[in-house]
Short mmCIF file of all heavy atoms in Angstrom, two decimals:
data_model
loop_
_atom_site.label_atom_id
_atom_site.label_comp_id
_atom_site.label_asym_id
_atom_site.label_seq_id
_atom_site.Cartn_x
_atom_site.Cartn_y
_atom_site.Cartn_z
N HIS A 4 89.91 -8.64 -28.04
CA HIS A 4 90.94 -8.56 -29.07
C HIS A 4 90.30 -8.56 -30.45
O HIS A 4 89.18 -9.06 -30.63
CB HIS A 4 91.98 -9.69 -28.94
CG HIS A 4 91.37 -11.05 -29.07
ND1 HIS A 4 91.21 -11.67 -30.28
CD2 HIS A 4 90.86 -11.88 -28.14
CE1 HIS A 4 90.63 -12.85 -30.08
NE2 HIS A 4 90.40 -13.00 -28.80
N ARG A 5 91.03 -7.99 -31.40
CA ARG A 5 90.54 -7.96 -32.78
C ARG A 5 90.58 -9.37 -33.35
O ARG A 5 91.50 -10.13 -33.04
CB ARG A 5 91.50 -7.11 -33.62
CG ARG A 5 91.06 -5.71 -33.82
CD ARG A 5 91.94 -5.02 -34.85
NE ARG A 5 91.29 -4.91 -36.13
CZ ARG A 5 91.65 -5.51 -37.24
NH1 ARG A 5 92.68 -6.32 -37.25
NH2 ARG A 5 91.02 -5.32 -38.37
N PRO A 6 89.62 -9.74 -34.22
CA PRO A 6 89.72 -11.05 -34.85
C PRO A 6 91.05 -11.20 -35.58
O PRO A 6 91.54 -10.24 -36.19
CB PRO A 6 88.56 -11.05 -35.84
CG PRO A 6 87.61 -10.02 -35.37
CD PRO A 6 88.44 -8.99 -34.65
N SER A 7 91.61 -12.39 -35.50
CA SER A 7 92.91 -12.61 -36.14
C SER A 7 92.72 -12.85 -37.63
O SER A 7 91.61 -13.11 -38.09
CB SER A 7 93.56 -13.82 -35.51
OG SER A 7 92.65 -14.90 -35.55
N GLY A 8 93.83 -12.75 -38.37
CA GLY A 8 93.81 -13.13 -39.78
C GLY A 8 93.21 -12.08 -40.70
O GLY A 8 93.01 -12.33 -41.88
N LEU A 9 92.89 -10.90 -40.15
CA LEU A 9 92.38 -9.84 -41.01
C LEU A 9 93.45 -8.78 -41.17
O LEU A 9 94.32 -8.65 -40.30
CB LEU A 9 91.13 -9.21 -40.39
CG LEU A 9 89.89 -10.10 -40.35
CD1 LEU A 9 88.76 -9.39 -39.62
CD2 LEU A 9 89.46 -10.46 -41.77
N PRO A 10 93.41 -7.98 -42.26
CA PRO A 10 94.41 -6.94 -42.43
C PRO A 10 94.39 -5.99 -41.22
O PRO A 10 93.31 -5.73 -40.67
CB PRO A 10 93.96 -6.20 -43.69
CG PRO A 10 92.92 -7.04 -44.31
CD PRO A 10 92.41 -8.00 -43.30
N GLU A 11 95.56 -5.51 -40.80
CA GLU A 11 95.67 -4.65 -39.62
C GLU A 11 94.78 -3.41 -39.77
O GLU A 11 93.99 -3.08 -38.93
CB GLU A 11 97.12 -4.21 -39.43
CG GLU A 11 97.76 -4.57 -38.09
CD GLU A 11 96.85 -5.19 -37.04
OE1 GLU A 11 96.18 -4.40 -36.34
OE2 GLU A 11 96.79 -6.42 -36.88
N GLU A 12 94.92 -2.75 -40.91
CA GLU A 12 94.26 -1.47 -41.10
C GLU A 12 93.39 -1.51 -42.33
O GLU A 12 93.90 -1.67 -43.44
CB GLU A 12 95.31 -0.36 -41.34
CG GLU A 12 96.12 0.02 -40.13
CD GLU A 12 95.32 0.87 -39.16
OE1 GLU A 12 94.37 1.53 -39.59
OE2 GLU A 12 95.67 0.83 -37.96
N TYR A 13 92.12 -1.49 -42.18
CA TYR A 13 91.30 -1.15 -43.35
C TYR A 13 90.01 -0.53 -42.83
O TYR A 13 89.42 -1.00 -41.87
CB TYR A 13 91.06 -2.36 -44.26
CG TYR A 13 90.08 -3.39 -43.76
CD1 TYR A 13 88.75 -3.35 -44.17
CD2 TYR A 13 90.47 -4.38 -42.87
CE1 TYR A 13 87.85 -4.29 -43.71
CE2 TYR A 13 89.57 -5.31 -42.41
CZ TYR A 13 88.26 -5.26 -42.82
OH TYR A 13 87.37 -6.18 -42.36
N PRO A 14 89.65 0.59 -43.45
CA PRO A 14 88.51 1.31 -42.89
C PRO A 14 87.19 0.62 -43.23
O PRO A 14 87.03 0.08 -44.32
CB PRO A 14 88.59 2.67 -43.61
CG PRO A 14 89.36 2.41 -44.85
CD PRO A 14 90.21 1.19 -44.64
N SER A 15 86.28 0.56 -42.28
CA SER A 15 84.96 0.03 -42.57
C SER A 15 83.92 0.92 -41.90
O SER A 15 84.07 1.29 -40.74
CB SER A 15 84.82 -1.38 -42.03
OG SER A 15 83.45 -1.76 -42.10
N SER A 16 82.91 1.26 -42.65
CA SER A 16 81.86 2.13 -42.11
C SER A 16 81.06 1.39 -41.03
O SER A 16 80.24 1.99 -40.34
CB SER A 16 80.92 2.57 -43.23
OG SER A 16 80.43 1.42 -43.90
N SER A 17 81.31 0.08 -40.87
CA SER A 17 80.52 -0.67 -39.89
C SER A 17 81.23 -0.81 -38.55
O SER A 17 80.72 -1.48 -37.65
CB SER A 17 80.19 -2.06 -40.45
OG SER A 17 81.35 -2.85 -40.49
N ALA A 18 82.41 -0.17 -38.39
CA ALA A 18 83.24 -0.39 -37.19
C ALA A 18 82.53 -0.03 -35.88
O ALA A 18 82.85 -0.59 -34.83
CB ALA A 18 84.53 0.39 -37.31
N ALA A 19 81.58 0.88 -35.94
CA ALA A 19 80.89 1.30 -34.71
C ALA A 19 79.39 1.08 -34.84
O ALA A 19 78.59 1.72 -34.18
CB ALA A 19 81.19 2.77 -34.44
N ASP A 20 79.02 0.14 -35.68
CA ASP A 20 77.59 -0.08 -35.97
C ASP A 20 77.14 -1.43 -35.39
O ASP A 20 77.50 -2.50 -35.92
CB ASP A 20 77.37 -0.02 -37.48
CG ASP A 20 75.90 0.10 -37.84
OD1 ASP A 20 75.06 -0.27 -37.01
OD2 ASP A 20 75.60 0.57 -38.95
N PHE A 21 76.36 -1.37 -34.31
CA PHE A 21 75.90 -2.58 -33.61
C PHE A 21 74.49 -3.00 -34.02
O PHE A 21 73.86 -3.82 -33.38
CB PHE A 21 75.91 -2.33 -32.09
CG PHE A 21 77.28 -2.16 -31.50
CD1 PHE A 21 77.86 -0.90 -31.42
CD2 PHE A 21 78.00 -3.25 -31.03
CE1 PHE A 21 79.12 -0.72 -30.87
CE2 PHE A 21 79.26 -3.09 -30.47
CZ PHE A 21 79.83 -1.83 -30.40
N LYS A 22 74.02 -2.38 -35.13
CA LYS A 22 72.62 -2.62 -35.52
C LYS A 22 72.41 -4.05 -36.01
O LYS A 22 71.43 -4.71 -35.70
CB LYS A 22 72.32 -1.54 -36.56
CG LYS A 22 71.32 -1.73 -37.56
CD LYS A 22 70.94 -0.42 -38.25
CE LYS A 22 71.79 -0.20 -39.47
NZ LYS A 22 72.85 0.73 -39.37
N SER A 23 73.35 -4.54 -36.83
CA SER A 23 73.20 -5.88 -37.41
C SER A 23 74.55 -6.35 -37.94
O SER A 23 75.46 -5.54 -38.14
CB SER A 23 72.21 -5.80 -38.58
OG SER A 23 72.11 -7.06 -39.21
N ASP A 24 74.63 -7.67 -38.20
CA ASP A 24 75.84 -8.17 -38.86
C ASP A 24 75.74 -8.00 -40.39
O ASP A 24 76.70 -8.27 -41.11
CB ASP A 24 76.11 -9.65 -38.50
CG ASP A 24 74.87 -10.52 -38.63
OD1 ASP A 24 73.83 -10.03 -39.10
OD2 ASP A 24 74.94 -11.71 -38.25
N THR A 25 74.60 -7.53 -40.86
CA THR A 25 74.46 -7.28 -42.31
C THR A 25 75.22 -6.03 -42.75
O THR A 25 75.41 -5.81 -43.94
CB THR A 25 72.98 -7.09 -42.71
OG1 THR A 25 72.45 -6.00 -41.95
CG2 THR A 25 72.16 -8.33 -42.45
N VAL A 26 75.63 -5.20 -41.80
CA VAL A 26 76.30 -3.94 -42.17
C VAL A 26 77.78 -4.15 -42.51
O VAL A 26 78.46 -3.22 -42.95
CB VAL A 26 76.18 -2.87 -41.04
CG1 VAL A 26 74.74 -2.53 -40.77
CG2 VAL A 26 76.88 -3.34 -39.76
N THR A 27 78.28 -5.35 -42.33
CA THR A 27 79.68 -5.63 -42.65
C THR A 27 79.98 -5.27 -44.11
O THR A 27 79.15 -5.47 -44.99
CB THR A 27 79.97 -7.14 -42.46
OG1 THR A 27 78.85 -7.88 -42.94
CG2 THR A 27 80.19 -7.46 -40.99
N THR A 28 81.18 -4.73 -44.31
CA THR A 28 81.57 -4.26 -45.66
C THR A 28 82.66 -5.17 -46.22
O THR A 28 83.38 -5.83 -45.45
CB THR A 28 82.10 -2.81 -45.57
OG1 THR A 28 83.22 -2.80 -44.68
CG2 THR A 28 81.04 -1.85 -45.05
N PRO A 29 82.81 -5.19 -47.55
CA PRO A 29 83.82 -6.10 -48.12
C PRO A 29 85.24 -5.74 -47.66
O PRO A 29 85.58 -4.57 -47.54
CB PRO A 29 83.69 -5.89 -49.63
CG PRO A 29 82.59 -4.94 -49.86
CD PRO A 29 82.05 -4.47 -48.56
N THR A 30 86.02 -6.77 -47.39
CA THR A 30 87.42 -6.55 -47.01
C THR A 30 88.23 -6.32 -48.30
O THR A 30 87.76 -6.64 -49.40
CB THR A 30 87.98 -7.78 -46.28
OG1 THR A 30 87.89 -8.90 -47.17
CG2 THR A 30 87.20 -8.09 -45.02
N PRO A 31 89.47 -5.83 -48.19
CA PRO A 31 90.28 -5.61 -49.40
C PRO A 31 90.40 -6.89 -50.23
O PRO A 31 90.34 -6.83 -51.47
CB PRO A 31 91.64 -5.18 -48.83
CG PRO A 31 91.32 -4.59 -47.50
CD PRO A 31 90.15 -5.34 -46.97
#
Side-chain angles (χ1 to χ4, degrees):
H4 61 88
R5 263 190 103 246
S7 53
L9 291 176
E11 238 354 277
E12 289 285 335
Y13 75 96
S15 169
S16 55
S17 71
D20 194 338
F21 293 90
K22 154 165 92 257
S23 176
D24 48 6
T25 58
V26 298
T27 40
T28 59
T30 60

